[in-house]
């Protein structure tokens, strides 16, 4: 079992331009205020953008990110992350990502920059 499996993530679609990642909410994702922990949302976002950056076995790693938590996730069975390419270069690539709950409410968004280790 790899990390995405252990977190309940399913890569629904991916290529170097965009991706969709679905994550099953687990009971232990909730924090002390009964909202999904921000680290879970960030991990989902990093995964959705990372599968694009690594498409074709590029060996890309996260270089930088900016992430905004817009609304708390208080309930629901699944979370959805949609990533899309902003720029893909020889060594630096940038992707945007949005995270939604089951009711299609936008919960977070961010921008992730990747450094390509090999081509």
């Amino acid at each position: 079992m790899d990390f995405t499996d252990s977190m309940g993530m399913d890569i629904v679609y991916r290529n170097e331009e965009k991706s969709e990642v679905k994550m099953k909410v687990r009971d232990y994702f909730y924090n002390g205020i009964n909202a999904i922990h921000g680290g879970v949302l960030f991990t989902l976002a990093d995964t959705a953008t990372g599968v694009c950056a690594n498409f074709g076995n590029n060996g890309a790693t996260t270089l930088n990110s900016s992430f905004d938590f817009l609304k708390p996730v208080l309930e629901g069975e699944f979370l959805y992350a949609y990533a899309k390419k902003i720029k893909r270069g020889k060594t630096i690539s940038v992707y945007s990502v949005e995270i939604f709950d089951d009711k299609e409410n936008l919960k977070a968004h961010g921008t992730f920059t990747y450094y390509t280790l090999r081509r």
Side-chain angles (χ1 to χ4, degrees), residues 12-118:
V12 177
Y13 176 80
R14 74 173 178 150
N15 63 29
E16 68 181 36
E17 303 259 334
K18 62 184 178 177
S19 73
E20 177 184 347
V21 179
K22 178 179 176 181
M23 183 170 71
K24 174 127 178 78
V25 173
R26 310 278 173 98
D27 290 341
Y28 56 87
F29 287 176
Y30 288 89
N31 60 22
I33 62 167
N34 292 320
I36 299 291
H37 190 282
V40 173
L41 299 176
F42 186 88
T43 298
L44 177 59
D46 189 42
T47 300
T49 54
V51 297
C52 292
N54 279 286
F55 189 80
N57 197 27
N58 291 326
T61 187
T62 307
L63 186 62
N64 189 30
S65 63
S66 173
F67 196 70
D68 296 305
F69 301 96
L70 304 174
K71 295 179 185 174
V73 180
L74 303 172
E75 61 184 354
E77 187 177 356
F78 292 97
L79 292 169
Y80 302 87
Y82 301 95
K84 65 181 178 178
K85 175 187 82 170
I86 296 173
K87 174 201 180 283
R88 187 169 175 108
K90 281 186 174 182
T91 56
I92 303 294
S93 298
V94 182
Y95 293 87
S96 64
V97 63
E98 294 181 323
I99 296 180
F100 294 87
D101 66 7
D102 297 74
K103 297 176 183 171
E104 299 181 8
N105 296 308
L106 179 63
K107 297 297 185 169
H109 76 90
T111 305
F112 285 71
T113 304
Y114 287 86
Y115 177 76
T116 302
L117 301 169
R118 62 183 180 273

